[in-house]
């Protein structure tokens, strides 16, 4: 079958049509190959796994010890596919889906799972999961499976959900910077602003340069959710979520809470208390600023502090990170947004049906408690070393092969073990304390588990495109704050009202007593 040639104008629906056609015709390479139980030569069945945001490292080949170990235990050899450096993950996944090199199992991005489901390009997993992935089936709570079913028009399970039963994100602040500027932890928005001014003016990183960025975010306003959360805005990596406002579930992006938050953020930007490159920062640039001791306050994943802190210590041996309780904004109830279940984690294309058994056996390996130690530490010399009889994870390096991880189910007990076993002893209390702080402020939002089907026919509403445009231009001062009211009107007229009606119907259905 000839390769599909893509132009930049190729539409997402056209890409999915190619997948659907492949599924129906059986012409996909993935669909033609036999499943694990059908392998006749005794060799492991190869499964192509797409997963973006893998971090630093090289792609392992079939001779890699981690790949070989998993193949020995499962009869399945994984071939890891990830986004090349500099590529946009969604665009790269689009190209994969439109080619003959379709992944056998993939971690969806940008709502691709719903497009696949709607177009018949996703494989139903109801009967396959109990048979080939029993550990996945039993370990994921029934509530999560029910949410997944609510996301499909026919009530089937088309994807394995992420389940994260502890608050995943947190506002963080450099305690050593607070000490250097002589200020306590801020309790109010006004006190927080004074802290940011001190970070800007008093050289807390001690390099004699005026290069401190009091707080920072990323392009499209992502990863600065703490600045919105102070005003009771439900945000997830910079995208407004759905929560209860005025007694009913609504899009947080059009609420008075959001207008107040944008006004605050606009002031921070004007006074250079918010990194003025925020809306230009790519992910690697943003993280490099934090790692290189330039940022005083930010929002990220406590579970990933280990790598940030290790890099930080090279230039600041006295560095110390703590969780920042959400500062109080008068008239608003601030919180940290928590989403615990229902987000799509793994989906199998219908075109890869022939590999479904093998793909699920591979996935089940990572959910089997007997393999927890291997999943956590991997291979000695590749993923960990042994010091004083204890396994210690090696820091990521460009030259070191990546190891596939597929489990995304975390309870508090899981997280406690993860911290104890994978975080260096000198960092464990720091990470544990951050979780204590963000757990106290976290609240699971009403829209947790909301299926992307509510956006059908309204892709711009789903992508938050209009919100991002108005947020950016208002914050940087190109537009006045009053333009927010224009945004609310345009959002409602361009599909927001219709989507809100669907969301409210979904919420009533899943909360029916």
């Amino acid at each position: 079958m000839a390769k599909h040639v893509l132009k930049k104008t190729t539409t997402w629906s056209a890409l999915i049509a190619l997948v659907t056609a492949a599924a129906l015709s059986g012409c996909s390479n993935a669909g033609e190959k036999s499943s694990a139980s059908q392998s006749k030569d005794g060799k492991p069945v190869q499964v192509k796994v797409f997963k973006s945001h893998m971090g630093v490292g090289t792609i392992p080949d079939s001779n890699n010890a981690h790949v070989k170990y998993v193949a020995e235990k499962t009869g399945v050899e994984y071939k890891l596919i990830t986004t090349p450096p500099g590529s946009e993950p969604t665009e790269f996944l689009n190209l994969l889906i439109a080619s003959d090199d379709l992944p056998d199992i993939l971690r969806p991005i940008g709502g691709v799972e719903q497009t696949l489901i709607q177009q018949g390009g996703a494989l139903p997993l109801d009967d396959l999961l109990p048979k080939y992935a029993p550990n996945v089936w039993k370990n994921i709570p029934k509530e999560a499976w029910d949410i997944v079913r609510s996301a499909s028009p026919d009530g089937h399970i088309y994807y394995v959900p992420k389940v994260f039963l502890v608050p995943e994100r947190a506002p963080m602040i450099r305690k050593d910077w607070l000490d250097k500027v002589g200020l306590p932890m801020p309790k109010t928005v006004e006190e927080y602003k004074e802290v940011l001014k001190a970070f800007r003016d008093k050289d807390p990183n001690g390099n004699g340069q005026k290069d401190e960025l009091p707080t920072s975010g990323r392009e499209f306003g992502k990863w600065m959710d703490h600045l919105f959360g102070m005003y009771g805005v439900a945000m997830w990596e910079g995208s407004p979520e759905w929560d209860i406002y005025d007694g009913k579930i609504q899009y947080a992006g059009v609420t008075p809470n959001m207008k107040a938050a944008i006004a605050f953020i606009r002031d921070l930007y004007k006074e250079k208390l918010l990194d003025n490159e925020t809306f230009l920062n790519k992910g690697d640039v943003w993280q490099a600023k934090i790692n290189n001791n330039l940022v005083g306050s930010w929002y990220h994943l406590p579970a990933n502090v280990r790598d940030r802190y290790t890099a930080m210590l090279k230039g600041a041996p006295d560095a110390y990170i703590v969780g920042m309780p959400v500062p109080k904004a008068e008239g608003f109830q601030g919180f940290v947004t928590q989403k615990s279940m229902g987000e799509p984690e793994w989906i199998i294309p219908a075109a890869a049906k022939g590999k479904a058994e093998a793909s699920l056996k591979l996935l089940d390996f990572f959910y089997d408690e007997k393999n927890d130690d291997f999943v956590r530490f991997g291979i000695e010399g590749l993923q960990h070393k042994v010091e004083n009889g204890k396994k210690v994870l090696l820091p990521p390096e460009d030259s070191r092969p990546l190891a596939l991880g597929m489990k995304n189910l975390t309870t508090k007990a899981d997280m406690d073990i993860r911290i104890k076993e994978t975080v260096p002893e000198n960092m464990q209390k720091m990470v544990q304390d951050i979780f204590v702080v963000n757990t106290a402020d976290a609240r699971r939002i009403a829209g947790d588990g909301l299926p992307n089907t509510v956006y059908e026919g309204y892709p711009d509403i789903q992508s938050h495109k209009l919100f991002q445009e108005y947020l950016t231009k208002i914050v940087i001062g190109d537009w006045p704050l009053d333009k927010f009211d224009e945004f609310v009107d345009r959002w409602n007229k361009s599909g927001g009202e219709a989507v809100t009606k669907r969301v409210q119907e979904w919420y009533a259905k899943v909360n029916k007593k």
Side-chain angles (χ1 to χ4, degrees):
M1 184 175 177
K3 294 281 184 185
H4 301 292
V5 179
L6 293 179
K7 298 180 180 179
K8 287 187 177 179
T9 55
T10 302
T11 65
W12 178 245
S13 59
L15 294 171
I16 296 300
L18 293 172
V19 178
T20 307
L24 295 174
S25 67
C27 63
S28 164
N29 290 346
E32 288 180 341
K33 294 177 182 177
S34 61
S35 69
S37 61
Q38 296 169 328
S39 182
K40 297 177 181 178
D41 58 6
K43 294 182 179 179
V45 176
Q46 188 179 83
V47 164
K48 289 177 287 187
V49 182
F50 173 78
K51 186 177 183 182
S52 67
H53 307 298
M54 285 290 292
V56 174
T58 60
I59 299 297
D61 58 26
S62 58
N63 292 317
N64 177 270
H66 193 277
V67 174
K68 284 185 171 182
Y69 181 90
V70 174
E72 177 187 329
K73 297 296 183 182
T74 64
V76 182
E77 177 188 291
Y78 72 82
K79 181 180 180 182
L80 184 58
I81 304 168
T82 192
T83 312
S87 297
E88 202 283 316
T90 304
E91 183 178 334
F92 179 71
L93 180 56
N94 292 355
L95 293 172
L96 283 180
I97 289 177
S99 74
D100 287 335
D101 200 23
L102 188 70
D104 299 306
I105 183 169
L106 60 95
R107 193 177 189 185
I109 308 171
V112 62
E113 75 288 340
Q114 285 300 335
T115 314
L116 284 168
I117 291 168
Q118 293 292 323
Q119 298 290 336
L123 187 68
L125 303 175
D126 310 60
D127 297 330
L128 300 176
L129 281 162
K131 186 174 182 180
Y132 299 118
N135 291 290
V136 177
W137 183 248
K138 73 179 182 182
N139 287 330
I140 290 178
K142 179 180 181 297
E143 182 184 357
W145 291 125
D146 289 344
I147 288 174
V148 173
R149 289 188 178 96
S150 79
S152 64
D154 56 11
H156 282 305
I157 292 172
Y158 285 101
Y159 55 83
V160 174
K162 166 185 169 181
V163 177
F164 211 95
L165 300 179
V166 294
E168 191 176 1
R169 288 97 197 274
M172 289 179 259
I173 194 166
R174 287 284 294 270
K175 178 63 166 59
D176 55 312
W177 281 29
L178 282 173
D179 293 342
K180 286 177 182 176
V181 300
L183 290 174
M185 183 70 71
K187 294 181 179 180
T188 66
V189 166
E190 292 75 23
E191 290 178 1
Y192 180 64
K193 193 171 180 180
E194 290 306 309
V195 164
L196 297 184
K197 287 179 180 178
F199 285 176
R200 180 193 63 191
D201 300 333
K202 294 187 177 180
D203 192 29
N205 68 9
N207 65 359
Q209 301 178 40
K210 207 171 177 60
D211 56 359
E212 285 84 357
L213 304 169
T215 191
S216 181
R218 281 170 46 175
E219 55 186 345
F220 308 117
K222 293 185 176 297
W223 287 111
M224 54 182 194
D225 297 10
H226 58 302
L227 303 179
F228 298 94
M230 299 174 192
Y231 291 86
V233 178
M235 295 289 282
W236 195 254
E237 294 184 23
S239 296
E241 287 290 334
W242 296 80
D243 200 21
I244 303 298
Y245 297 95
D246 293 330
K248 53 186 180 292
I249 190 167
Q250 297 185 57
Y251 181 62
V254 296
T255 60
N257 304 62
M258 178 60 81
K259 186 174 184 179
I262 292 176
F264 173 63
I265 296 167
R266 176 186 170 96
D267 287 344
L268 296 186
Y269 184 92
K270 184 178 181 180
E271 297 185 45
K272 291 185 168 45
L273 302 177
L274 170 65
D275 177 8
N276 277 193
E277 294 181 346
T278 283
F279 294 100
L280 303 173
N281 284 336
K282 298 285 187 183
D284 55 348
V285 172
W286 176 76
Q287 292 210 352
K289 288 179 175 181
I290 296 171
N291 294 358
N292 291 327
N293 296 293
L294 298 178
V295 182
S297 168
W298 66 97
Y299 189 88
H300 208 222
L301 310 172
N304 289 5
V305 160
R306 171 181 171 269
D307 293 338
R308 305 283 78 74
Y309 188 60
T310 300
M312 210 174 274
L313 289 174
K314 295 176 182 177
D318 296 328
Y320 200 82
I321 304 167
V322 293
M324 181 179 73
V326 175
K328 172 68 178 174
E330 191 65 34
F332 298 91
Q333 185 62 52
F335 65 94
V336 170
T337 295
Q338 182 175 350
K339 291 170 69 174
S340 293
M341 55 185 66
E343 280 194 288
E345 187 66 17
W346 295 105
I347 191 167
I348 297 177
K353 181 179 180 179
K355 290 285 190 72
E357 178 184 335
S359 295
L360 290 174
K361 285 184 175 179
L362 176 66
L363 183 63
D364 201 61
F365 172 84
F366 290 91
Y367 279 76
D368 188 339
E369 293 178 359
K370 297 196 300 288
N371 301 319
D372 280 354
D373 187 76
F374 174 79
V375 170
R376 197 169 286 123
F377 291 104
I379 301 292
E380 184 177 357
L382 288 181
Q383 284 84 44
H384 76 269
K385 60 182 177 180
V386 177
E387 289 183 349
N388 301 319
K390 183 179 179 181
K391 294 178 181 179
V392 178
L393 286 174
L394 295 168
E397 291 182 5
D398 289 333
S399 60
R400 183 174 295 128
L402 294 162
L404 175 64
M406 297 185 79
K407 181 179 178 180
N408 206 341
L409 188 158
T410 304
T411 64
K412 184 180 185 303
D414 292 328
M415 183 56 69
D416 289 343
I417 293 171
R418 176 176 171 181
I419 292 171
K420 182 178 179 181
E421 294 191 352
T422 66
V423 175
E425 288 186 15
N426 66 319
M427 302 182 197
Q428 286 182 12
K429 186 178 187 305
M430 179 178 72
V431 176
Q432 289 166 344
D433 288 348
I434 294 173
F435 271 109
V436 169
V437 171
N438 82 325
T439 298
D441 281 343
R443 180 168 62 75
R444 188 176 169 194
I445 58 171
D448 187 17
L450 179 71
N452 285 325
T453 46
V454 299
Y455 298 108
E456 186 178 359
Y458 302 101
D460 285 350
I461 298 293
Q462 180 178 358
S463 68
H464 309 282
K465 184 178 179 181
L466 194 64
F467 168 77
Q468 291 169 348
E469 177 187 5
Y470 276 79
L471 170 69
T472 302
K473 290 186 177 179
I474 292 174
V475 167
I476 67 176
D478 285 357
W479 288 349
L481 180 62
D482 288 347
K483 290 280 276 188
F484 178 81
D485 301 326
E486 176 184 285
F487 156 69
V488 174
D489 184 60
R490 286 186 61 189
W491 184 87
N492 279 307
K493 290 178 178 176
S494 62
E497 285 184 351
V499 172
T500 299
K501 185 172 183 291
R502 293 175 184 174
V503 172
Q504 290 173 348
E505 289 171 351
W506 167 83
Y507 185 72
K509 182 175 71 172
V510 297
N511 288 279
K512 191 178 296 183
K513 301 300 181 184

